[in-house]
Amino acid sequence: MAALVQIENLRKEFGNVRALDGVSFQVNAGEWIAIMGPSGSGKTTLINILGGLDTATSGQAIVDGVDVARLDEAGLTRFRAEKIGFVFQQFHLVPYLTALENVMLAQYFHSTTDEAEAREALRRVGLGERIEHLPAQLSGGEQQRVAVARALINHPKLILADEPTGNLDEANAETVTRLLRELHAEGHTILMVTHAPSMGQLADRRIELAHGHLMQIVEMSAEEEERLDHLLEQMWIFGEEGVTPELARMRQSGIHDAAGTAARLRDLGLLELRGSEVTLTERGVHRARDIVRRRRLAERLLTDTFSIADTETDSHACKFEHIISPELDQRICSFLGHPKSCPHGNPIPPGHCCPHA
Ligand code: ADP
Ligand code: MG
């Protein structure tokens, strides 16, 4: 079966920011893919390039046999109308048109309007009674359902959803999630950006972006992940101390099965082994940095905000760093005023949210 979406070595630079740094993957027709990853990792950029809303610096994005970068303005408009259904975090409804008119507008760009079909689409998302309402007269969840009806009206080959439940409360998120599940069951191809692990779990496959790179998704146990993270963290600390990272030193600093863990990290492309000396790859550096950042932010939070005694922060922070999601990381950092160092005086690597980044 030919892939519906083919992405080859896609790069996007905004000035000197590398939003996408050589991303390749394929999506088969009928698949539901979740794109995960922290804020700023390039998820929206990827969705926008696929939908022809933005252009790549280099590389290819092919959707249903069409090389999106080769389309001119008119071709792009037709491509979006015929092949793509967008659902954004911000609903992007036209404020002075009713729910029905918003859906019919999408039909208009596609071919001809069909009011009966537009009514049916709104009934399907549970808004049969609200078709004459203006966006301002609808709740956030209802507006997002109009957006879903609008995305579906032209039977698009590909549904692109960028954090479709990001601005919704739990009940409305549940409704939109149910709609996505139904669409998937009917055979639609969905590429969805989400922060919510529970939503990611519903997809057939998860793709993780970090700093514009695709991370290999490996389903591993929490214990294994902790073991790998612990070694990466130690590598970062060796770097700060100017110590040559060797397996023997890892064992001395309390890393269990240093050789086995290092070999696993090598297989994941996070570090390189040369004799007994170990070096982080670029991706390894990014990951280690993220772990150390979460760890030190957790220490700051525990001492400054919860006044947990210094002797206890270590074991608490150790548990905490695995609970903190990339989203929470930025919120904690902002809440603490973007601290530059942990309570022990070690530097906290700045994140995307930090003004001194
Ligand atoms: P995500 O959706 O994963 O949060 P984005 O794709 O929005 O990430 O952004 C990836 C990176 O590219 C970020 O560092 C962001 O600041 C940068 N970026 C995105 N859009 C623009 C733009 N229009 N101009 C400059 N930088 C941008
Ligand atoms: Mg985004």
Side-chain angles (χ1 to χ4, degrees):
M1 180 175 45
L4 181 69
V5 176
Q6 267 176 295
I7 293 176
E8 240 349 280
N9 208 11
L10 206 62
R11 290 175 200 277
K12 175 68 178 180
E13 283 157 26
F14 293 106
N16 55 8
V17 174
R18 278 192 260 165
L20 293 176
D21 198 9
V23 171
S24 308
F25 67 92
Q26 298 198 346
V27 181
N28 290 325
E31 268 196 298
W32 182 359
I33 309 281
I35 302 175
M36 327 265 309
S39 186
S41 58
K43 305 180 299 293
T44 295
T45 305
L46 178 61
I47 291 279
N48 286 348
I49 291 173
L50 273 174
L53 297 174
D54 202 350
T55 52
T57 307
S58 65
Q60 262 193 336
I62 296 177
V63 178
D64 197 27
V66 176
D67 184 343
V68 185
R70 288 180 185 271
L71 298 172
D72 58 12
E73 260 328 297
L76 272 177
T77 305
R78 204 165 346 106
F79 167 78
R80 284 193 293 261
E82 288 175 1
K83 296 198 192 288
I84 307 289
F86 284 107
V87 183
F88 300 97
Q89 183 175 358
Q90 260 72 31
F91 321 121
H92 294 307
L93 298 178
V94 181
Y96 50 82
L97 298 182
T98 65
L100 183 66
E101 289 164 340
N102 265 286
V103 175
M104 288 178 70
L105 187 66
Q107 285 179 320
Y108 169 79
F109 281 115
H110 182 243
S111 49
T112 46
T113 53
D114 178 341
E115 189 176 325
E117 196 184 25
R119 282 175 187 277
E120 179 50 36
L122 285 164
R123 225 186 328 272
R124 151 143 216 210
V125 299
L127 292 176
E129 311 297 309
R130 300 262 194 293
I131 55 176
E132 301 297 342
H133 285 54
L134 293 172
Q137 299 166 326
L138 297 168
S139 73
E142 289 168 340
Q143 289 183 53
Q144 188 61 308
R145 278 142 68 188
V146 175
V148 172
R150 179 186 57 185
L152 291 178
I153 195 69
N154 299 323
H155 313 285
K157 281 272 168 70
L158 178 63
I159 297 172
L160 295 174
D162 194 353
E163 305 196 35
T165 58
N167 277 345
L168 303 182
D169 59 39
E170 214 172 314
N172 278 306
E174 184 58 42
T175 310
V176 170
T177 303
R178 182 176 52 73
L179 282 168
L180 287 171
R181 288 173 99 136
E182 287 174 16
L183 295 172
H184 176 239
E186 286 165 16
H188 281 91
T189 311
I190 307 173
L191 213 57
M192 161 192 84
V193 170
T194 183
H195 271 114
S198 59
M199 189 131 175
Q201 280 310 316
L202 296 173
D204 299 322
R205 207 148 51 91
R206 283 148 292 284
I207 286 175
E208 192 170 336
L209 281 174
H211 306 281
H213 291 279
L214 214 60
M215 300 295 286
Q216 201 176 340
I217 290 274
V218 208
E219 310 286 344
M220 61 171 92
S221 67
E223 295 86 67
E224 181 173 22
E225 197 170 334
E226 273 182 40
R227 198 156 48 81
L228 300 182
D229 283 356
H230 190 186
L231 195 148
L232 289 174
E233 189 171 3
Q234 191 56 52
M235 286 290 295
W236 181 272
I237 293 167
F238 282 153
E240 284 180 336
E241 291 171 345
V243 169
T244 314
E246 288 175 334
L247 288 177
R249 285 226 173 74
M250 306 251 170
R251 283 185 214 108
Q252 282 163 17
S253 30
I255 306 267
H256 298 295
D257 185 22
T261 308
R264 182 88 168 105
L265 286 166
R266 180 200 53 208
D267 294 345
L268 293 170
L270 295 168
L271 58 75
E272 282 166 16
L273 284 163
R274 254 181 257 103
S276 69
E277 200 174 318
V278 197
T279 42
L280 291 173
T281 62
E282 195 185 338
R283 279 176 41 212
V285 169
H286 280 311
R287 169 120 180 199
R289 189 174 188 283
D290 289 345
I291 299 162
V292 169
R293 176 174 151 79
R294 288 203 297 273
R295 160 74 180 228
R296 292 180 181 167
L297 278 174
E299 288 176 356
R300 264 258 96 90
L301 186 73
L302 292 166
T303 35
D304 295 9
T305 309
F306 298 119
S307 308
I308 289 176
D310 194 42
T311 47
E312 278 180 55
T313 48
D314 202 50
S315 70
H316 284 295
C318 214
K319 283 181 216 128
F320 229 73
E321 72 183 51
H322 297 289
I323 298 168
I324 300 174
S325 68
E327 269 290 84
L328 199 53
D329 160 322
Q330 303 204 10
R331 269 192 260 153
I332 292 175
C333 188
S334 303
F335 171 72
L336 293 171
H338 309 286
K340 292 198 170 116
S341 61
C342 79
H344 306 104
N346 295 316
I348 299 178
H352 279 290
C353 59
C354 296
H356 55 286

mmCIF file of all heavy atoms in Angstrom, residues 75-115:
data_model
loop_
_atom_site.group_PDB
_atom_site.id
_atom_site.type_symbol
_atom_site.label_atom_id
_atom_site.label_comp_id
_atom_site.label_asym_id
_atom_site.label_seq_id
_atom_site.Cartn_x
_atom_site.Cartn_y
_atom_site.Cartn_z
ATOM 1 N N GLY A 75 -3.115 26.357 -6.865
ATOM 2 C CA GLY A 75 -2.993 24.926 -6.621
ATOM 3 C C GLY A 75 -3.104 24.605 -5.134
ATOM 4 O O GLY A 75 -3.734 23.635 -4.731
ATOM 5 N N LEU A 76 -2.501 25.466 -4.311
ATOM 6 C CA LEU A 76 -2.540 25.269 -2.861
ATOM 7 C C LEU A 76 -3.964 25.386 -2.329
ATOM 8 O O LEU A 76 -4.396 24.613 -1.489
ATOM 9 C CB LEU A 76 -1.668 26.312 -2.166
ATOM 10 C CG LEU A 76 -0.194 25.959 -1.985
ATOM 11 C CD1 LEU A 76 0.539 27.124 -1.349
ATOM 12 C CD2 LEU A 76 -0.038 24.710 -1.129
ATOM 13 N N THR A 77 -4.693 26.395 -2.817
ATOM 14 C CA THR A 77 -6.070 26.586 -2.367
ATOM 15 C C THR A 77 -6.890 25.338 -2.701
ATOM 16 O O THR A 77 -7.639 24.835 -1.869
ATOM 17 C CB THR A 77 -6.688 27.827 -3.053
ATOM 18 O OG1 THR A 77 -5.836 28.929 -2.787
ATOM 19 C CG2 THR A 77 -8.073 28.119 -2.529
ATOM 20 N N ARG A 78 -6.713 24.837 -3.930
ATOM 21 C CA ARG A 78 -7.448 23.645 -4.329
ATOM 22 C C ARG A 78 -7.024 22.433 -3.484
ATOM 23 O O ARG A 78 -7.848 21.663 -3.022
ATOM 24 C CB ARG A 78 -7.232 23.369 -5.823
ATOM 25 C CG ARG A 78 -8.334 22.564 -6.425
ATOM 26 C CD ARG A 78 -8.353 22.559 -7.960
ATOM 27 N NE ARG A 78 -7.526 23.549 -8.600
ATOM 28 C CZ ARG A 78 -6.366 23.279 -9.218
ATOM 29 N NH1 ARG A 78 -5.889 22.057 -9.246
ATOM 30 N NH2 ARG A 78 -5.696 24.249 -9.802
ATOM 31 N N PHE A 79 -5.711 22.303 -3.254
ATOM 32 C CA PHE A 79 -5.169 21.199 -2.457
ATOM 33 C C PHE A 79 -5.788 21.190 -1.057
ATOM 34 O O PHE A 79 -6.284 20.176 -0.579
ATOM 35 C CB PHE A 79 -3.646 21.353 -2.371
ATOM 36 C CG PHE A 79 -2.977 20.492 -1.345
ATOM 37 C CD1 PHE A 79 -2.756 19.140 -1.585
ATOM 38 C CD2 PHE A 79 -2.557 21.032 -0.129
ATOM 39 C CE1 PHE A 79 -2.127 18.341 -0.638
ATOM 40 C CE2 PHE A 79 -1.931 20.239 0.819
ATOM 41 C CZ PHE A 79 -1.723 18.901 0.562
ATOM 42 N N ARG A 80 -5.800 22.372 -0.415
ATOM 43 C CA ARG A 80 -6.346 22.452 0.940
ATOM 44 C C ARG A 80 -7.834 22.136 0.942
ATOM 45 O O ARG A 80 -8.335 21.440 1.819
ATOM 46 C CB ARG A 80 -6.100 23.845 1.532
ATOM 47 C CG ARG A 80 -4.662 24.033 1.980
ATOM 48 C CD ARG A 80 -4.526 25.274 2.839
ATOM 49 N NE ARG A 80 -4.769 26.491 2.076
ATOM 50 C CZ ARG A 80 -3.806 27.258 1.589
ATOM 51 N NH1 ARG A 80 -2.544 26.985 1.806
ATOM 52 N NH2 ARG A 80 -4.106 28.332 0.895
ATOM 53 N N ALA A 81 -8.540 22.647 -0.041
ATOM 54 C CA ALA A 81 -9.994 22.444 -0.068
ATOM 55 C C ALA A 81 -10.344 20.991 -0.357
ATOM 56 O O ALA A 81 -11.291 20.448 0.201
ATOM 57 C CB ALA A 81 -10.622 23.357 -1.121
ATOM 58 N N GLU A 82 -9.567 20.340 -1.202
ATOM 59 C CA GLU A 82 -9.939 18.991 -1.642
ATOM 60 C C GLU A 82 -9.368 17.885 -0.785
ATOM 61 O O GLU A 82 -9.972 16.830 -0.639
ATOM 62 C CB GLU A 82 -9.487 18.772 -3.100
ATOM 63 C CG GLU A 82 -10.333 19.566 -4.074
ATOM 64 C CD GLU A 82 -9.836 19.469 -5.508
ATOM 65 O OE1 GLU A 82 -8.831 18.763 -5.760
ATOM 66 O OE2 GLU A 82 -10.474 20.105 -6.368
ATOM 67 N N LYS A 83 -8.187 18.092 -0.231
ATOM 68 C CA LYS A 83 -7.525 16.967 0.415
ATOM 69 C C LYS A 83 -7.379 17.074 1.925
ATOM 70 O O LYS A 83 -7.155 16.073 2.595
ATOM 71 C CB LYS A 83 -6.126 16.764 -0.195
ATOM 72 C CG LYS A 83 -6.175 16.389 -1.671
ATOM 73 C CD LYS A 83 -4.856 15.789 -2.118
ATOM 74 C CE LYS A 83 -4.754 15.660 -3.620
ATOM 75 N NZ LYS A 83 -5.611 14.587 -4.153
ATOM 76 N N ILE A 84 -7.463 18.304 2.465
ATOM 77 C CA ILE A 84 -7.120 18.490 3.872
ATOM 78 C C ILE A 84 -8.318 18.977 4.680
ATOM 79 O O ILE A 84 -9.049 19.860 4.243
ATOM 80 C CB ILE A 84 -5.983 19.543 4.026
ATOM 81 C CG1 ILE A 84 -4.781 19.199 3.146
ATOM 82 C CG2 ILE A 84 -5.573 19.698 5.484
ATOM 83 C CD1 ILE A 84 -3.980 18.012 3.585
ATOM 84 N N GLY A 85 -8.497 18.405 5.864
ATOM 85 C CA GLY A 85 -9.455 18.945 6.832
ATOM 86 C C GLY A 85 -8.672 19.417 8.045
ATOM 87 O O GLY A 85 -7.986 18.630 8.684
ATOM 88 N N PHE A 86 -8.727 20.714 8.340
ATOM 89 C CA PHE A 86 -7.971 21.266 9.472
ATOM 90 C C PHE A 86 -8.837 21.393 10.718
ATOM 91 O O PHE A 86 -9.964 21.864 10.645
ATOM 92 C CB PHE A 86 -7.491 22.685 9.155
ATOM 93 C CG PHE A 86 -6.323 22.767 8.220
ATOM 94 C CD1 PHE A 86 -6.498 23.190 6.915
ATOM 95 C CD2 PHE A 86 -5.042 22.447 8.655
ATOM 96 C CE1 PHE A 86 -5.416 23.296 6.051
ATOM 97 C CE2 PHE A 86 -3.957 22.552 7.797
ATOM 98 C CZ PHE A 86 -4.148 22.971 6.486
ATOM 99 N N VAL A 87 -8.260 21.019 11.859
ATOM 100 C CA VAL A 87 -8.861 21.363 13.142
ATOM 101 C C VAL A 87 -7.746 21.989 13.976
ATOM 102 O O VAL A 87 -6.724 21.348 14.223
ATOM 103 C CB VAL A 87 -9.420 20.121 13.884
ATOM 104 C CG1 VAL A 87 -10.110 20.539 15.174
ATOM 105 C CG2 VAL A 87 -10.393 19.348 12.999
ATOM 106 N N PHE A 88 -7.925 23.245 14.362
ATOM 107 C CA PHE A 88 -6.882 23.944 15.100
ATOM 108 C C PHE A 88 -7.257 24.048 16.575
ATOM 109 O O PHE A 88 -8.404 23.849 16.951
ATOM 110 C CB PHE A 88 -6.694 25.363 14.560
ATOM 111 C CG PHE A 88 -6.298 25.432 13.113
ATOM 112 C CD1 PHE A 88 -7.260 25.646 12.128
ATOM 113 C CD2 PHE A 88 -4.981 25.294 12.731
ATOM 114 C CE1 PHE A 88 -6.902 25.725 10.787
ATOM 115 C CE2 PHE A 88 -4.610 25.368 11.399
ATOM 116 C CZ PHE A 88 -5.571 25.584 10.417
ATOM 117 N N GLN A 89 -6.253 24.447 17.371
ATOM 118 C CA GLN A 89 -6.532 24.681 18.790
ATOM 119 C C GLN A 89 -7.443 25.906 18.935
ATOM 120 O O GLN A 89 -8.396 25.902 19.699
ATOM 121 C CB GLN A 89 -5.210 24.896 19.530
ATOM 122 C CG GLN A 89 -5.375 25.072 21.020
ATOM 123 C CD GLN A 89 -4.038 25.168 21.738
ATOM 124 O OE1 GLN A 89 -2.983 25.064 21.129
ATOM 125 N NE2 GLN A 89 -4.099 25.366 23.028
ATOM 126 N N GLN A 90 -7.121 26.958 18.173
ATOM 127 C CA GLN A 90 -8.024 28.115 18.069
ATOM 128 C C GLN A 90 -8.973 27.753 16.937
ATOM 129 O O GLN A 90 -8.516 27.296 15.906
ATOM 130 C CB GLN A 90 -7.245 29.382 17.698
ATOM 131 C CG GLN A 90 -6.943 30.301 18.866
ATOM 132 C CD GLN A 90 -5.883 29.730 19.773
ATOM 133 O OE1 GLN A 90 -5.022 29.035 19.309
ATOM 134 N NE2 GLN A 90 -5.962 30.020 21.059
ATOM 135 N N PHE A 91 -10.250 27.959 17.153
ATOM 136 C CA PHE A 91 -11.206 27.305 16.252
ATOM 137 C C PHE A 91 -11.266 27.944 14.870
ATOM 138 O O PHE A 91 -11.660 27.317 13.906
ATOM 139 C CB PHE A 91 -12.579 27.245 16.919
ATOM 140 C CG PHE A 91 -12.494 26.941 18.400
ATOM 141 C CD1 PHE A 91 -13.004 27.804 19.361
ATOM 142 C CD2 PHE A 91 -11.848 25.787 18.829
ATOM 143 C CE1 PHE A 91 -12.874 27.521 20.721
ATOM 144 C CE2 PHE A 91 -11.715 25.498 20.186
ATOM 145 C CZ PHE A 91 -12.231 26.367 21.139
ATOM 146 N N HIS A 92 -10.850 29.214 14.769
ATOM 147 C CA HIS A 92 -10.830 29.895 13.469
ATOM 148 C C HIS A 92 -12.173 29.857 12.743
ATOM 149 O O HIS A 92 -12.241 29.526 11.564
ATOM 150 C CB HIS A 92 -9.745 29.316 12.544
ATOM 151 C CG HIS A 92 -8.354 29.555 13.041
ATOM 152 N ND1 HIS A 92 -7.879 30.805 13.377
ATOM 153 C CD2 HIS A 92 -7.336 28.708 13.266
ATOM 154 C CE1 HIS A 92 -6.629 30.713 13.786
ATOM 155 N NE2 HIS A 92 -6.277 29.455 13.739
ATOM 156 N N LEU A 93 -13.247 30.160 13.461
ATOM 157 C CA LEU A 93 -14.542 30.285 12.785
ATOM 158 C C LEU A 93 -14.712 31.752 12.389
ATOM 159 O O LEU A 93 -14.159 32.650 13.035
ATOM 160 C CB LEU A 93 -15.678 29.876 13.734
ATOM 161 C CG LEU A 93 -15.632 28.421 14.227
ATOM 162 C CD1 LEU A 93 -16.788 28.156 15.193
ATOM 163 C CD2 LEU A 93 -15.652 27.441 13.074
ATOM 164 N N VAL A 94 -15.480 31.993 11.342
ATOM 165 C CA VAL A 94 -15.750 33.374 10.938
ATOM 166 C C VAL A 94 -16.827 33.916 11.882
ATOM 167 O O VAL A 94 -17.923 33.364 11.962
ATOM 168 C CB VAL A 94 -16.236 33.434 9.471
ATOM 169 C CG1 VAL A 94 -16.490 34.879 9.057
ATOM 170 C CG2 VAL A 94 -15.218 32.781 8.549
ATOM 171 N N PRO A 95 -16.514 34.982 12.651
ATOM 172 C CA PRO A 95 -17.393 35.385 13.755
ATOM 173 C C PRO A 95 -18.787 35.845 13.330
ATOM 174 O O PRO A 95 -19.733 35.714 14.097
ATOM 175 C CB PRO A 95 -16.621 36.515 14.449
ATOM 176 C CG PRO A 95 -15.591 36.962 13.464
ATOM 177 C CD PRO A 95 -15.288 35.789 12.589
ATOM 178 N N TYR A 96 -18.914 36.428 12.108
ATOM 179 C CA TYR A 96 -20.231 36.955 11.711
ATOM 180 C C TYR A 96 -21.019 35.971 10.864
ATOM 181 O O TYR A 96 -22.029 36.312 10.288
ATOM 182 C CB TYR A 96 -20.064 38.315 11.003
ATOM 183 C CG TYR A 96 -19.037 38.310 9.907
ATOM 184 C CD1 TYR A 96 -19.360 37.847 8.633
ATOM 185 C CD2 TYR A 96 -17.730 38.737 10.156
ATOM 186 C CE1 TYR A 96 -18.413 37.822 7.637
ATOM 187 C CE2 TYR A 96 -16.768 38.707 9.159
ATOM 188 C CZ TYR A 96 -17.119 38.241 7.895
ATOM 189 O OH TYR A 96 -16.182 38.203 6.920
ATOM 190 N N LEU A 97 -20.569 34.735 10.770
ATOM 191 C CA LEU A 97 -21.345 33.705 10.073
ATOM 192 C C LEU A 97 -21.861 32.690 11.085
ATOM 193 O O LEU A 97 -21.190 32.404 12.083
ATOM 194 C CB LEU A 97 -20.480 32.975 9.034
ATOM 195 C CG LEU A 97 -19.907 33.805 7.879
ATOM 196 C CD1 LEU A 97 -19.115 32.894 6.934
ATOM 197 C CD2 LEU A 97 -21.007 34.531 7.122
ATOM 198 N N THR A 98 -23.058 32.146 10.832
ATOM 199 C CA THR A 98 -23.611 31.128 11.732
ATOM 200 C C THR A 98 -22.828 29.831 11.586
ATOM 201 O O THR A 98 -22.016 29.682 10.668
ATOM 202 C CB THR A 98 -25.084 30.822 11.380
ATOM 203 O OG1 THR A 98 -25.108 30.228 10.064
ATOM 204 C CG2 THR A 98 -25.954 32.065 11.404
ATOM 205 N N ALA A 99 -23.125 28.890 12.493
ATOM 206 C CA ALA A 99 -22.475 27.580 12.435
ATOM 207 C C ALA A 99 -22.674 26.973 11.049
ATOM 208 O O ALA A 99 -21.728 26.502 10.412
ATOM 209 C CB ALA A 99 -23.056 26.664 13.517
ATOM 210 N N LEU A 100 -23.914 27.026 10.581
ATOM 211 C CA LEU A 100 -24.229 26.451 9.271
ATOM 212 C C LEU A 100 -23.440 27.137 8.159
ATOM 213 O O LEU A 100 -22.854 26.481 7.292
ATOM 214 C CB LEU A 100 -25.736 26.583 9.010
ATOM 215 C CG LEU A 100 -26.242 25.959 7.709
ATOM 216 C CD1 LEU A 100 -26.078 24.442 7.736
ATOM 217 C CD2 LEU A 100 -27.714 26.316 7.477
ATOM 218 N N GLU A 101 -23.402 28.472 8.215
ATOM 219 C CA GLU A 101 -22.691 29.225 7.174
ATOM 220 C C GLU A 101 -21.181 28.958 7.209
ATOM 221 O O GLU A 101 -20.527 28.908 6.166
ATOM 222 C CB GLU A 101 -22.971 30.729 7.324
ATOM 223 C CG GLU A 101 -24.399 31.075 6.934
ATOM 224 C CD GLU A 101 -24.833 32.459 7.428
ATOM 225 O OE1 GLU A 101 -24.210 33.007 8.361
ATOM 226 O OE2 GLU A 101 -25.819 32.973 6.878
ATOM 227 N N ASN A 102 -20.643 28.768 8.425
ATOM 228 C CA ASN A 102 -19.217 28.450 8.530
ATOM 229 C C ASN A 102 -18.900 27.135 7.829
ATOM 230 O O ASN A 102 -17.881 27.017 7.152
ATOM 231 C CB ASN A 102 -18.780 28.391 9.996
ATOM 232 C CG ASN A 102 -18.193 29.709 10.477
ATOM 233 O OD1 ASN A 102 -17.074 30.057 10.130
ATOM 234 N ND2 ASN A 102 -18.983 30.450 11.259
ATOM 235 N N VAL A 103 -19.778 26.163 8.003
ATOM 236 C CA VAL A 103 -19.555 24.868 7.352
ATOM 237 C C VAL A 103 -19.752 25.005 5.841
ATOM 238 O O VAL A 103 -18.975 24.465 5.047
ATOM 239 C CB VAL A 103 -20.504 23.792 7.936
ATOM 240 C CG1 VAL A 103 -20.352 22.478 7.179
ATOM 241 C CG2 VAL A 103 -20.204 23.582 9.423
ATOM 242 N N MET A 104 -20.754 25.785 5.455
ATOM 243 C CA MET A 104 -21.040 25.936 4.023
ATOM 244 C C MET A 104 -19.926 26.704 3.301
ATOM 245 O O MET A 104 -19.675 26.481 2.117
ATOM 246 C CB MET A 104 -22.394 26.611 3.818
ATOM 247 C CG MET A 104 -23.533 25.648 4.166
ATOM 248 S SD MET A 104 -25.164 26.390 4.012
ATOM 249 C CE MET A 104 -25.309 26.576 2.253
ATOM 250 N N LEU A 105 -19.252 27.576 4.056
ATOM 251 C CA LEU A 105 -18.134 28.317 3.464
ATOM 252 C C LEU A 105 -17.045 27.342 2.995
ATOM 253 O O LEU A 105 -16.449 27.518 1.928
ATOM 254 C CB LEU A 105 -17.566 29.292 4.502
ATOM 255 C CG LEU A 105 -16.501 30.262 4.005
ATOM 256 C CD1 LEU A 105 -17.087 31.236 2.993
ATOM 257 C CD2 LEU A 105 -15.915 31.038 5.189
ATOM 258 N N ALA A 106 -16.802 26.305 3.804
ATOM 259 C CA ALA A 106 -15.800 25.296 3.419
ATOM 260 C C ALA A 106 -16.258 24.543 2.173
ATOM 261 O O ALA A 106 -15.454 24.218 1.302
ATOM 262 C CB ALA A 106 -15.572 24.323 4.575
ATOM 263 N N GLN A 107 -17.557 24.290 2.100
ATOM 264 C CA GLN A 107 -18.086 23.620 0.889
ATOM 265 C C GLN A 107 -17.853 24.506 -0.333
ATOM 266 O O GLN A 107 -17.477 24.052 -1.386
ATOM 267 C CB GLN A 107 -19.603 23.414 1.010
ATOM 268 C CG GLN A 107 -20.020 22.316 1.941
ATOM 269 C CD GLN A 107 -21.542 22.218 1.986
ATOM 270 O OE1 GLN A 107 -22.237 23.241 1.999
ATOM 271 N NE2 GLN A 107 -22.056 21.003 2.028
ATOM 272 N N TYR A 108 -18.101 25.810 -0.129
ATOM 273 C CA TYR A 108 -17.984 26.763 -1.218
ATOM 274 C C TYR A 108 -16.577 26.738 -1.817
ATOM 275 O O TYR A 108 -16.399 26.698 -3.028
ATOM 276 C CB TYR A 108 -18.336 28.166 -0.705
ATOM 277 C CG TYR A 108 -18.003 29.265 -1.665
ATOM 278 C CD1 TYR A 108 -18.832 29.543 -2.740
ATOM 279 C CD2 TYR A 108 -16.851 30.025 -1.490
ATOM 280 C CE1 TYR A 108 -18.520 30.547 -3.628
ATOM 281 C CE2 TYR A 108 -16.531 31.037 -2.376
ATOM 282 C CZ TYR A 108 -17.369 31.294 -3.446
ATOM 283 O OH TYR A 108 -17.046 32.290 -4.319
ATOM 284 N N PHE A 109 -15.553 26.697 -0.922
ATOM 285 C CA PHE A 109 -14.181 26.678 -1.424
ATOM 286 C C PHE A 109 -13.874 25.368 -2.132
ATOM 287 O O PHE A 109 -12.970 25.272 -2.949
ATOM 288 C CB PHE A 109 -13.186 26.930 -0.288
ATOM 289 C CG PHE A 109 -13.084 28.372 0.074
ATOM 290 C CD1 PHE A 109 -13.476 28.833 1.320
ATOM 291 C CD2 PHE A 109 -12.620 29.291 -0.872
ATOM 292 C CE1 PHE A 109 -13.386 30.182 1.635
ATOM 293 C CE2 PHE A 109 -12.525 30.637 -0.560
ATOM 294 C CZ PHE A 109 -12.912 31.086 0.696
ATOM 295 N N HIS A 110 -14.633 24.347 -1.793
ATOM 296 C CA HIS A 110 -14.388 23.042 -2.397
ATOM 297 C C HIS A 110 -15.038 22.940 -3.768
ATOM 298 O O HIS A 110 -14.411 22.668 -4.767
ATOM 299 C CB HIS A 110 -14.914 21.951 -1.473
ATOM 300 C CG HIS A 110 -14.667 20.576 -1.981
ATOM 301 N ND1 HIS A 110 -15.688 19.715 -2.311
ATOM 302 C CD2 HIS A 110 -13.523 19.914 -2.212
ATOM 303 C CE1 HIS A 110 -15.156 18.574 -2.740
ATOM 304 N NE2 HIS A 110 -13.853 18.664 -2.675
ATOM 305 N N SER A 111 -16.322 23.166 -3.826
ATOM 306 C CA SER A 111 -17.015 23.053 -5.114
ATOM 307 C C SER A 111 -18.305 23.842 -5.043
ATOM 308 O O SER A 111 -18.310 25.046 -5.243
ATOM 309 C CB SER A 111 -17.292 21.589 -5.420
ATOM 310 O OG SER A 111 -17.888 20.971 -4.299
ATOM 311 N N THR A 112 -19.394 23.177 -4.722
ATOM 312 C CA THR A 112 -20.667 23.885 -4.602
ATOM 313 C C THR A 112 -21.231 23.645 -3.218
ATOM 314 O O THR A 112 -20.909 22.647 -2.578
ATOM 315 C CB THR A 112 -21.685 23.349 -5.620
ATOM 316 O OG1 THR A 112 -21.637 21.932 -5.580
ATOM 317 C CG2 THR A 112 -21.396 23.856 -7.015
ATOM 318 N N THR A 113 -22.059 24.543 -2.749
ATOM 319 C CA THR A 113 -22.616 24.381 -1.415
ATOM 320 C C THR A 113 -23.821 23.455 -1.451
ATOM 321 O O THR A 113 -24.542 23.393 -2.449
ATOM 322 C CB THR A 113 -23.029 25.740 -0.829
ATOM 323 O OG1 THR A 113 -23.884 26.380 -1.788
ATOM 324 C CG2 THR A 113 -21.828 26.612 -0.584
ATOM 325 N N ASP A 114 -24.016 22.740 -0.355
ATOM 326 C CA ASP A 114 -25.125 21.804 -0.233
ATOM 327 C C ASP A 114 -25.606 21.907 1.210
ATOM 328 O O ASP A 114 -25.006 21.337 2.119
ATOM 329 C CB ASP A 114 -24.621 20.383 -0.554
ATOM 330 C CG ASP A 114 -25.721 19.340 -0.395
ATOM 331 O OD1 ASP A 114 -26.737 19.625 0.289
ATOM 332 O OD2 ASP A 114 -25.553 18.247 -0.935
ATOM 333 N N GLU A 115 -26.669 22.703 1.402
ATOM 334 C CA GLU A 115 -27.113 23.012 2.752
ATOM 335 C C GLU A 115 -27.530 21.767 3.523
ATOM 336 O O GLU A 115 -27.234 21.643 4.711
ATOM 337 C CB GLU A 115 -28.262 24.029 2.703
ATOM 338 C CG GLU A 115 -28.603 24.527 4.086
ATOM 339 C CD GLU A 115 -29.681 25.608 4.105
ATOM 340 O OE1 GLU A 115 -29.708 26.419 3.161
ATOM 341 O OE2 GLU A 115 -30.468 25.627 5.061
#
